[in-house]
Coordinates of all heavy atoms in Angstrom, one line a residue:
M1 N 148.2 127.7 114.2 CA 146.9 127.0 114.6 C 145.8 127.6 113.8 O 144.9 126.8 113.3 CB 146.7 127.1 116.1 CG 145.5 126.5 116.5 SD 145.6 124.7 116.5 CE 144.1 124.3 117.3
R2 N 145.8 128.9 113.6 CA 144.7 129.5 112.9 C 144.7 129.2 111.4 O 143.7 129.1 110.8 CB 144.7 131.1 113.1 CG 144.3 131.4 114.5 CD 144.2 132.9 114.6 NE 143.7 133.2 116.0 CZ 143.2 134.4 116.3 NH1 143.1 135.3 115.4 NH2 142.8 134.6 117.5
K3 N 145.9 129.1 110.8 CA 146.0 128.7 109.4 C 145.4 127.3 109.2 O 144.8 127.1 108.2 CB 147.5 128.8 109.0 CG 148.0 130.1 108.7 CD 149.4 130.0 108.2 CE 149.9 131.4 107.8 NZ 151.2 131.4 107.2
T4 N 145.7 126.4 110.1 CA 145.2 125.0 110.0 C 143.7 125.0 110.1 O 143.0 124.3 109.3 CB 145.7 124.2 111.1 OG1 147.2 124.3 111.2 CG2 145.4 122.7 110.9
V5 N 143.1 125.8 110.9 CA 141.6 125.9 111.0 C 141.0 126.5 109.8 O 139.9 126.1 109.4 CB 141.2 126.8 112.3 CG1 139.8 127.0 112.3 CG2 141.7 126.1 113.5
K6 N 141.7 127.5 109.1 CA 141.2 128.1 107.9 C 141.4 127.1 106.7 O 140.5 127.1 105.8 CB 141.9 129.4 107.6 CG 141.5 130.5 108.6 CD 142.2 131.7 108.2 CE 141.9 132.8 109.2 NZ 142.6 134.1 108.9
I7 N 142.4 126.3 106.7 CA 142.7 125.4 105.5 C 141.9 124.2 105.6 O 141.5 123.6 104.6 CB 144.2 125.1 105.5 CG1 145.0 126.4 105.2 CG2 144.5 124.1 104.4 CD1 146.4 126.2 105.2
L8 N 141.5 123.7 106.8 CA 140.8 122.5 107.0 C 139.5 122.4 106.2 O 139.2 121.4 105.5 CB 140.6 122.2 108.5 CG 140.0 120.8 108.8 CD1 140.9 119.7 108.3 CD2 139.8 120.7 110.3
P9 N 138.6 123.4 106.3 CA 137.4 123.4 105.5 C 137.6 123.3 104.0 O 136.9 122.7 103.3 CB 136.6 124.7 105.9 CG 137.2 125.1 107.2 CD 138.6 124.6 107.2
V10 N 138.7 124.0 103.5 CA 139.0 124.0 102.1 C 139.4 122.6 101.7 O 138.9 122.1 100.6 CB 140.1 125.0 101.8 CG1 140.6 124.9 100.4 CG2 139.7 126.4 102.1
I11 N 140.2 121.9 102.5 CA 140.6 120.5 102.2 C 139.4 119.6 102.2 O 139.2 118.7 101.3 CB 141.7 120.1 103.2 CG1 143.0 120.9 103.0 CG2 142.0 118.6 103.0 CD1 144.0 120.7 104.0
L12 N 138.5 119.7 103.2 CA 137.3 118.9 103.3 C 136.4 119.1 102.1 O 135.9 118.1 101.5 CB 136.6 119.1 104.6 CG 137.2 118.6 105.8 CD1 136.5 119.0 107.0 CD2 137.3 117.1 105.8
A13 N 136.2 120.3 101.7 CA 135.4 120.7 100.5 C 136.0 120.0 99.2 O 135.3 119.5 98.4 CB 135.3 122.2 100.3
F14 N 137.3 120.1 99.1 CA 138.0 119.5 98.0 C 137.8 118.0 97.9 O 137.4 117.5 96.8 CB 139.5 119.8 98.0 CG 140.3 119.2 96.9 CD1 140.3 119.7 95.6 CD2 141.1 118.0 97.2 CE1 141.0 119.1 94.6 CE2 141.8 117.4 96.2 CZ 141.8 117.9 94.9
F15 N 137.9 117.3 99.0 CA 137.6 115.9 99.0 C 136.2 115.5 98.7 O 135.9 114.6 98.0 CB 138.0 115.3 100.4 CG 139.5 115.1 100.5 CD1 140.2 115.6 101.6 CD2 140.2 114.3 99.6 CE1 141.5 115.4 101.7 CE2 141.6 114.1 99.8 CZ 142.2 114.7 100.8
V16 N 135.2 116.3 99.2 CA 133.8 116.1 98.9 C 133.5 116.3 97.4 O 132.9 115.5 96.8 CB 132.9 117.0 99.8 CG1 131.5 117.0 99.3 CG2 133.0 116.6 101.2
I17 N 134.1 117.3 96.8 CA 133.8 117.6 95.4 C 134.5 116.5 94.5 O 133.9 116.0 93.6 CB 134.4 119.0 95.0 CG1 133.5 120.1 95.7 CG2 134.4 119.2 93.5 CD1 134.1 121.5 95.6
C18 N 135.7 116.1 94.9 CA 136.3 115.0 94.1 C 135.6 113.7 94.2 O 135.4 113.0 93.3 CB 137.8 114.9 94.6 SG 138.8 116.2 94.1
N19 N 135.0 113.4 95.4 CA 134.3 112.2 95.6 C 133.0 112.2 94.8 O 132.7 111.2 94.2 CB 134.0 112.0 97.1 CG 133.5 110.6 97.4 OD1 133.7 109.7 96.6 ND2 132.9 110.5 98.6
T20 N 132.3 113.3 94.8 CA 131.0 113.3 94.0 C 131.3 113.3 92.6 O 130.5 112.7 91.8 CB 130.2 114.6 94.4 OG1 131.0 115.7 94.2 CG2 129.7 114.5 95.8
A21 N 132.4 113.9 92.1 CA 132.7 113.8 90.7 C 133.1 112.4 90.3 O 132.7 112.0 89.2 CB 133.9 114.8 90.4
A22 N 133.7 111.7 91.1 CA 134.1 110.3 90.8 C 132.9 109.4 90.8 O 132.8 108.4 90.0 CB 135.1 109.8 91.8
M23 N 131.9 109.7 91.7 CA 130.7 108.8 91.7 C 129.7 109.2 90.6 O 128.8 108.4 90.4 CB 130.0 109.0 93.1 CG 130.9 108.5 94.2 SD 130.1 108.7 95.8 CE 128.8 107.5 95.8
A24 N 129.9 110.3 90.0 CA 128.9 110.7 88.9 C 129.2 110.0 87.6 O 128.5 110.3 86.6 CB 129.0 112.2 88.8
K25 N 130.2 109.2 87.5 CA 130.5 108.5 86.3 C 129.3 107.6 85.8 O 128.7 107.0 86.7 CB 131.7 107.6 86.4 CG 133.0 108.2 85.8 CD 134.0 107.1 85.6 CE 134.9 107.1 86.8 NZ 136.0 106.1 86.6
E26 N 129.0 107.6 84.6 CA 127.9 106.8 84.1 C 128.4 105.4 83.9 O 129.5 105.2 83.3 CB 127.4 107.3 82.7 CG 126.2 106.6 82.2 CD 125.7 107.2 81.0 OE1 125.8 108.4 80.8 OE2 125.1 106.4 80.2
V27 N 127.7 104.4 84.4 CA 128.0 103.0 84.3 C 127.2 102.4 83.1 O 126.0 102.5 83.1 CB 127.7 102.3 85.6 CG1 128.1 100.8 85.5 CG2 128.5 102.9 86.7
S28 N 127.9 101.8 82.2 CA 127.2 101.2 81.1 C 126.6 99.9 81.5 O 127.0 99.2 82.4 CB 128.2 101.0 79.9 OG 129.2 100.1 80.3
F29 N 125.5 99.5 80.8 CA 124.8 98.3 81.0 C 125.3 97.2 80.0 O 125.2 97.3 78.8 CB 123.3 98.5 80.7 CG 122.4 97.5 81.2 CD1 122.1 97.3 82.5 CD2 121.8 96.6 80.3 CE1 121.3 96.3 83.0 CE2 121.0 95.6 80.7 CZ 120.7 95.5 82.1
T30 N 126.0 96.2 80.6 CA 126.7 95.3 79.8 C 125.8 94.1 79.5 O 124.7 93.9 80.0 CB 128.0 94.8 80.5 OG1 127.6 94.1 81.7 CG2 128.9 95.9 80.8
Q31 N 126.2 93.2 78.6 CA 125.5 92.0 78.2 C 125.5 91.0 79.4 O 124.5 90.3 79.6 CB 126.2 91.3 77.0 CG 125.5 90.0 76.5 CD 124.2 90.3 75.9 OE1 124.0 91.4 75.4 NE2 123.3 89.4 76.0
E32 N 126.5 91.1 80.2 CA 126.6 90.2 81.4 C 125.5 90.6 82.4 O 124.8 89.8 83.0 CB 127.9 90.3 82.1 CG 128.1 89.5 83.4 CD 129.4 89.7 84.0 OE1 130.4 90.1 83.4 OE2 129.5 89.4 85.2
D33 N 125.2 92.0 82.5 CA 124.2 92.5 83.4 C 122.8 92.0 82.9 O 121.9 91.6 83.6 CB 124.2 94.0 83.5 CG 125.5 94.5 84.1 OD1 126.0 93.8 85.0 OD2 125.8 95.6 83.8
R34 N 122.6 92.1 81.5 CA 121.4 91.6 80.9 C 121.1 90.1 81.2 O 120.0 89.7 81.5 CB 121.4 91.9 79.4 CG 120.1 91.6 78.8 CD 120.2 91.8 77.2 NE 119.0 91.4 76.6 CZ 118.6 90.2 76.3 NH1 119.3 89.2 76.7 NH2 117.5 90.0 75.7
D35 N 122.2 89.3 81.0 CA 122.0 87.9 81.2 C 121.7 87.6 82.7 O 120.9 86.7 83.0 CB 123.3 87.2 80.8 CG 123.6 87.2 79.4 OD1 122.6 87.5 78.6 OD2 124.7 87.0 79.0
R36 N 122.3 88.4 83.6 CA 122.1 88.2 85.0 C 120.6 88.5 85.3 O 119.9 87.8 86.1 CB 123.0 89.1 85.8 CG 122.8 88.9 87.3 CD 123.8 89.7 88.1 NE 125.1 89.2 87.8 CZ 126.2 89.9 88.0 NH1 126.1 91.2 88.5 NH2 127.4 89.5 87.7
L37 N 120.0 89.5 84.7 CA 118.6 89.9 84.9 C 117.7 88.8 84.4 O 116.7 88.5 85.0 CB 118.3 91.2 84.3 CG 118.8 92.5 85.0 CD1 118.6 93.7 84.2 CD2 118.2 92.6 86.4
V38 N 118.1 88.2 83.2 CA 117.3 87.2 82.7 C 117.3 85.9 83.6 O 116.2 85.3 83.8 CB 117.8 86.8 81.3 CG1 117.1 85.5 80.8 CG2 117.5 87.9 80.3
R39 N 118.4 85.6 84.1 CA 118.5 84.4 85.1 C 117.7 84.7 86.3 O 117.0 83.8 86.8 CB 119.9 84.1 85.4 CG 120.7 83.5 84.3 CD 122.0 82.9 84.8 NE 122.8 83.9 85.5 CZ 123.8 84.7 85.0 NH1 124.0 84.6 83.7 NH2 124.5 85.5 85.7
L40 N 117.7 86.0 86.8 CA 116.9 86.3 88.0 C 115.4 86.2 87.7 O 114.7 85.8 88.5 CB 117.3 87.8 88.4 CG 116.6 88.3 89.6 CD1 117.0 87.5 90.9 CD2 117.0 89.8 89.8
E41 N 115.0 86.7 86.5 CA 113.6 86.6 86.2 C 113.1 85.1 86.1 O 112.0 84.8 86.5 CB 113.4 87.3 84.8 CG 111.9 87.3 84.4 CD 111.8 88.0 83.1 OE1 112.7 88.7 82.6 OE2 110.7 87.8 82.5
V42 N 114.0 84.2 85.6 CA 113.6 82.8 85.5 C 113.5 82.3 86.9 O 112.5 81.5 87.2 CB 114.7 82.0 84.7 CG1 114.5 80.5 84.9 CG2 114.6 82.4 83.3
K43 N 114.4 82.6 87.8 CA 114.3 82.2 89.2 C 113.0 82.7 89.9 O 112.3 81.9 90.6 CB 115.5 82.6 90.0 CG 116.8 81.8 89.7 CD 117.9 82.3 90.6 CE 119.2 81.6 90.2 NZ 120.3 82.0 91.0
I44 N 112.7 83.9 89.7 CA 111.5 84.5 90.3 C 110.2 83.8 89.7 O 109.3 83.5 90.5 CB 111.4 86.0 90.0 CG1 112.5 86.7 90.8 CG2 110.0 86.6 90.3 CD1 112.6 88.2 90.5
T45 N 110.2 83.5 88.4 CA 109.1 82.7 87.9 C 109.0 81.3 88.5 O 107.8 80.9 88.8 CB 109.3 82.6 86.3 OG1 109.5 83.8 85.8 CG2 108.1 82.0 85.7
D46 N 110.1 80.7 88.7 CA 110.1 79.4 89.4 C 109.5 79.5 90.8 O 108.7 78.6 91.3 CB 111.5 78.7 89.4 CG 111.9 78.3 88.0 OD1 111.1 78.2 87.1 OD2 113.1 78.1 87.9
I47 N 110.0 80.5 91.5 CA 109.5 80.7 92.9 C 108.0 81.0 92.9 O 107.2 80.5 93.8 CB 110.3 81.8 93.6 CG1 111.7 81.4 93.8 CG2 109.6 82.2 94.9 CD1 112.6 82.4 94.3
D48 N 107.5 81.7 91.9 CA 106.1 82.1 91.8 C 105.3 80.8 91.6 O 104.2 80.6 92.2 CB 105.9 83.0 90.6 CG 104.5 83.5 90.6 OD1 103.9 83.8 91.6 OD2 103.9 83.7 89.5
K49 N 105.8 79.9 90.8 CA 105.1 78.6 90.6 C 105.0 77.8 91.8 O 104.0 77.2 92.2 CB 105.8 77.8 89.5 CG 105.5 78.4 88.1 CD 106.3 77.5 87.0 CE 106.1 78.1 85.6 NZ 106.9 77.4 84.6
R50 N 106.1 77.8 92.6 CA 106.1 77.0 93.8 C 105.2 77.6 94.9 O 104.5 76.8 95.5 CB 107.6 77.0 94.4 CG 108.5 76.2 93.7 CD 109.9 76.2 94.4 NE 110.9 75.9 93.5 CZ 112.2 76.2 93.7 NH1 112.6 76.8 94.8 NH2 113.1 75.9 92.8
L51 N 105.1 78.9 94.9 CA 104.2 79.5 95.9 C 102.8 79.3 95.5 O 101.9 79.1 96.4 CB 104.5 81.0 96.0 CG 105.8 81.5 96.7 CD1 106.0 83.0 96.6 CD2 105.7 81.0 98.1
E52 N 102.5 79.3 94.2 CA 101.1 79.0 93.7 C 100.7 77.5 94.1 O 99.6 77.3 94.6 CB 101.0 79.1 92.2 CG 99.7 79.0 91.7 CD 99.6 79.2 90.2 OE1 100.6 79.8 89.6 OE2 98.6 78.8 89.5
F53 N 101.7 76.6 94.0 CA 101.4 75.2 94.4 C 101.2 75.1 95.9 O 100.2 74.4 96.3 CB 102.6 74.3 94.0 CG 102.5 72.9 94.5 CD1 101.6 72.0 94.0 CD2 103.3 72.5 95.6 CE1 101.5 70.7 94.5 CE2 103.2 71.3 96.1 CZ 102.3 70.4 95.6
I54 N 102.0 75.8 96.7 CA 101.8 75.8 98.1 C 100.4 76.4 98.5 O 99.7 75.9 99.4 CB 103.0 76.5 98.8 CG1 104.2 75.7 98.7 CG2 102.7 76.7 100.3 CD1 105.5 76.4 99.2
Q55 N 100.0 77.5 97.8 CA 98.8 78.1 98.1 C 97.6 77.1 97.8 O 96.7 77.0 98.6 CB 98.6 79.4 97.3 CG 97.3 80.1 97.5 CD 97.2 81.4 96.7 OE1 98.1 81.6 95.8 NE2 96.2 82.2 97.0
N56 N 97.7 76.4 96.7 CA 96.6 75.5 96.3 C 96.6 74.3 97.3 O 95.5 73.8 97.7 CB 96.9 74.9 94.9 CG 96.6 76.0 93.8 OD1 95.9 77.0 94.1 ND2 97.2 75.8 92.7
L57 N 97.8 73.9 97.8 CA 97.8 72.8 98.7 C 97.2 73.3 100.1 O 96.4 72.5 100.7 CB 99.3 72.4 99.0 CG 99.6 71.2 99.9 CD1 99.0 70.0 99.3 CD2 101.0 71.1 100.1
M58 N 97.4 74.5 100.5 CA 96.8 75.0 101.7 C 95.3 75.1 101.6 O 94.6 74.7 102.5 CB 97.4 76.4 102.1 CG 98.9 76.3 102.5 SD 99.1 75.4 104.1 CE 98.3 76.5 105.2
I59 N 94.8 75.5 100.5 CA 93.4 75.6 100.2 C 92.8 74.2 100.3 O 91.7 74.0 100.9 CB 93.1 76.3 98.9 CG1 93.4 77.8 99.0 CG2 91.6 76.1 98.5 CD1 93.4 78.5 97.7
A60 N 93.4 73.2 99.7 CA 92.9 71.9 99.8 C 92.9 71.3 101.2 O 92.0 70.7 101.6 CB 93.8 71.0 98.8
M61 N 94.0 71.6 101.9 CA 94.0 71.1 103.3 C 92.9 71.8 104.2 O 92.3 71.1 105.0 CB 95.4 71.4 103.9 CG 96.5 70.6 103.3 SD 98.2 71.1 103.8 CE 98.1 70.7 105.5
I62 N 92.7 73.1 104.0 CA 91.6 73.7 104.7 C 90.3 73.1 104.3 O 89.4 72.9 105.2 CB 91.7 75.3 104.5 CG1 92.9 75.8 105.1 CG2 90.4 75.9 105.0 CD1 93.2 77.3 104.8
G63 N 90.1 72.8 103.0 CA 88.8 72.2 102.6 C 88.6 70.9 103.2 O 87.5 70.5 103.7
V64 N 89.6 70.0 103.3 CA 89.5 68.7 103.9 C 89.3 68.8 105.4 O 88.4 68.1 105.9 CB 90.8 67.9 103.6 CG1 90.9 66.6 104.5 CG2 90.9 67.5 102.1
F65 N 89.9 69.7 106.0 CA 89.7 69.9 107.5 C 88.3 70.4 107.7 O 87.6 69.9 108.7 CB 90.7 70.9 108.0 CG 90.6 71.2 109.5 CD1 91.0 70.2 110.4 CD2 90.1 72.4 110.0 CE1 90.8 70.4 111.8 CE2 89.9 72.6 111.3 CZ 90.3 71.6 112.2
G66 N 87.8 71.3 106.9 CA 86.4 71.8 107.1 C 85.4 70.7 106.9 O 84.4 70.6 107.6
G67 N 85.7 69.9 105.8 CA 84.8 68.8 105.5 C 84.7 67.8 106.7 O 83.7 67.3 107.1
L68 N 85.9 67.5 107.2 CA 85.9 66.5 108.4 C 85.2 67.1 109.6 O 84.5 66.4 110.3 CB 87.4 66.2 108.7 CG 88.1 65.3 107.8 CD1 89.6 65.1 108.1 CD2 87.4 63.9 107.8
C69 N 85.4 68.4 109.8 CA 84.7 69.1 111.0 C 83.2 69.0 110.7 O 82.4 68.7 111.7 CB 85.1 70.5 111.1 SG 86.8 70.7 111.8
G70 N 82.7 69.3 109.5 CA 81.3 69.2 109.2 C 80.8 67.8 109.4 O 79.7 67.6 110.0
V71 N 81.5 66.8 108.9 CA 81.1 65.4 109.1 C 81.0 65.1 110.6 O 80.1 64.4 111.1 CB 82.0 64.4 108.4 CG1 81.7 63.0 108.8 CG2 81.8 64.6 106.9
F72 N 82.0 65.5 111.4 CA 82.0 65.2 112.8 C 80.8 65.9 113.5 O 80.2 65.2 114.4 CB 83.3 65.7 113.4 CG 83.4 65.5 114.9 CD1 83.6 64.2 115.4 CD2 83.4 66.5 115.8 CE1 83.7 64.0 116.7 CE2 83.5 66.3 117.1 CZ 83.6 65.0 117.6
V73 N 80.5 67.1 113.2 CA 79.4 67.8 113.8 C 78.1 67.1 113.4 O 77.2 66.9 114.3 CB 79.4 69.3 113.5 CG1 78.1 70.0 113.9 CG2 80.6 70.0 114.1
G74 N 78.0 66.7 112.2 CA 76.8 66.0 111.7 C 76.6 64.7 112.4 O 75.5 64.4 112.8
L75 N 77.7 64.0 112.6 CA 77.6 62.7 113.3 C 77.3 62.9 114.8 O 76.5 62.1 115.3 CB 79.0 62.0 113.2 CG 79.1 60.6 113.7 CD1 78.1 59.6 113.0 CD2 80.5 60.0 113.6
L76 N 77.8 64.0 115.4 CA 77.5 64.3 116.7 C 76.0 64.6 116.9 O 75.4 64.1 117.9 CB 78.4 65.4 117.2 CG 78.3 65.9 118.7 CD1 78.9 64.8 119.5 CD2 78.9 67.2 118.8
L77 N 75.5 65.4 116.0 CA 74.1 65.8 116.1 C 73.2 64.6 115.9 O 72.2 64.4 116.6 CB 73.8 66.9 115.2 CG 74.4 68.3 115.5 CD1 74.1 69.3 114.4 CD2 73.9 68.8 116.8
W78 N 73.5 63.8 114.9 CA 72.8 62.6 114.6 C 72.8 61.6 115.8 O 71.7 61.1 116.2 CB 73.3 61.9 113.4 CG 72.7 60.5 113.1 CD1 71.5 60.3 112.5 CD2 73.2 59.3 113.5 NE1 71.2 59.0 112.5 CE2 72.3 58.3 113.1 CE3 74.4 58.8 114.1 CZ2 72.5 56.9 113.2 CZ3 74.6 57.5 114.3 CH2 73.6 56.6 113.8
D79 N 73.9 61.5 116.5 CA 74.0 60.6 117.6 C 73.2 61.1 118.8 O 72.5 60.4 119.5 CB 75.5 60.5 118.1 CG 75.7 59.5 119.2 OD1 75.1 58.3 119.1 OD2 76.3 59.8 120.2
R80 N 73.2 62.4 119.0 CA 72.4 63.0 120.1 C 70.9 62.9 119.8 O 70.1 62.7 120.8 CB 72.7 64.5 120.3 CG 74.1 64.7 120.9 CD 74.0 64.3 122.3 NE 75.4 64.2 122.9 CZ 75.6 63.8 124.1 NH1 74.7 63.4 124.9 NH2 76.9 63.7 124.5
R81 N 70.5 63.0 118.6 CA 69.1 62.9 118.2 C 68.6 61.5 118.4 O 67.5 61.3 118.9 CB 68.9 63.4 116.8 CG 67.5 63.4 116.4 CD 67.4 63.9 115.0 NE 66.5 65.0 114.9 CZ 66.2 65.6 113.8 NH1 66.8 65.2 112.7 NH2 65.4 66.6 113.7
T82 N 69.4 60.5 118.0 CA 69.0 59.1 118.1 C 69.1 58.5 119.5 O 68.6 57.5 119.8 CB 69.8 58.2 117.2 OG1 71.2 58.3 117.5 CG2 69.5 58.6 115.7
F83 N 69.8 59.2 120.4 CA 70.0 58.7 121.8 C 68.7 58.9 122.5 O 68.2 58.3 123.3 CB 71.1 59.5 122.5 CG 71.4 59.0 123.8 CD1 72.0 57.7 124.0 CD2 71.2 59.8 124.9 CE1 72.3 57.3 125.3 CE2 71.5 59.3 126.2 CZ 72.0 58.1 126.4

């Protein structure tokens, strides 16, 4: 039992060292990776254009709503004054 307890940390240390050595391998950057990044950049640019359009649409909607509220308040005040 005591031998197993003494050997167990050695075995665990061996597995940890082997695992870190295997993970330390350098991965090369391939042409496929570059092409994938280019496609991702194009998608992001398209999404950016859509978000800009939605932002402009929201600003226009707020402007129209504000204008209608202003006209309504003006009409209300004019009606109260002429009554």
Side-chain angles (χ1 to χ4, degrees):
M1 179 74 175
R2 289 186 174 201
K3 283 186 177 182
T4 310
V5 174
K6 290 181 181 179
I7 294 175
L8 187 62
V10 174
I11 293 173
L12 288 175
F14 176 74
F15 281 124
V16 169
I17 291 171
C18 290
N19 191 17
T20 55
M23 294 178 74
K25 258 198 265 183
E26 185 176 331
V27 178
S28 62
F29 193 74
T30 63
Q31 183 68 28
E32 181 182 338
D33 296 332
R34 183 183 179 283
D35 293 340
R36 184 176 294 159
L37 284 175
V38 169
R39 287 193 307 267
L40 182 64
E41 183 179 345
V42 169
K43 286 182 182 179
I44 290 174
T45 307
D46 291 342
I47 291 172
D48 187 40
K49 288 179 184 176
R50 289 183 203 159
L51 288 176
E52 185 179 342
F53 172 74
I54 291 172
Q55 182 180 9
N56 290 337
L57 185 64
M58 290 296 292
I59 290 171
M61 290 171 68
I62 290 171
V64 168
F65 181 72
L68 286 173
C69 287
V71 168
F72 179 71
V73 168
L75 186 62
L76 182 73
L77 292 175
W78 174 78
D79 185 49
R80 286 291 165 184
R81 186 180 232 180
T82 57
F83 184 68

